[in-house]
Amino acid sequence: MQFRDNLKSELDFQDIKVKELAARTGISRRTIDQYLSSAAKMPSAENAVKIAQVLGVSVEYLVTGKPSEFSDESIIQEIRLFQKYRHFISKIENLSEPARECINFFVEKMGGG
């Protein structure tokens, strides 16, 4: 993923509008729109740091999409994963133990474990 995609994803996840990000970072809305456009201008290091600080993520995460090993972003990603699949998890939890074992076996055979 590119900076643009990671920034869009983070704004969506945190329900932050471009106008709000601009106000909180001191970066013009037009400039942030350029970072989000299909032409995807890369921000200066200074602006990337401002954006990352406001969003509570590292610049590394915005650039690579991968959490920094020295941050809580890996925990945040796990929380997001849980939120995405919590309805599956609750359904699986309500199954009998043999049924859960069957699902676990299937997932492992499909390469997911």
Side-chain angles (χ1 to χ4, degrees):
M1 285 174 73
Q2 298 175 342
F3 181 91
R4 174 189 72 167
D5 299 320
N6 295 326
L7 179 56
K8 280 182 182 180
S9 176
E10 199 60 36
L11 290 173
D12 288 343
F13 178 74
Q14 294 190 31
D15 194 27
I16 295 175
K17 306 292 182 234
V18 172
K19 182 178 179 180
E20 180 183 351
L21 182 64
R24 291 172 60 188
T25 60
I27 301 168
S28 75
R29 181 179 176 156
R30 182 171 181 239
T31 298
I32 294 173
D33 282 337
Q34 289 176 342
Y35 301 152
L36 295 168
S37 75
S38 58
K41 174 183 162 188
M42 279 296 288
S44 66
E46 180 182 347
N47 283 354
V49 168
K50 287 179 183 179
I51 292 169
Q53 287 174 335
V54 166
L55 296 176
V57 299
S58 68
V59 173
E60 179 182 358
Y61 174 74
L62 288 175
V63 173
T64 67
K66 297 177 183 174
S68 168
E69 68 179 273
F70 303 110
S71 72
D72 291 333
E73 290 164 21
S74 59
I75 295 170
I76 292 169
Q77 284 189 335
E78 286 185 30
I79 291 169
R80 288 181 182 160
L81 191 62
F82 172 76
Q83 288 172 331
K84 184 175 181 179
Y85 294 107
R86 68 178 165 238
H87 63 283
F88 291 126
I89 294 168
S90 65
K91 287 181 180 183
I92 291 169
E93 282 295 311
N94 290 326
L95 296 174
S96 67
E97 182 63 28
R100 286 194 303 269
E101 288 175 6
C102 182
I103 290 171
N104 186 51
F105 177 80
F106 177 75
V107 170
E108 286 182 6
K109 290 299 179 187
M110 295 299 294

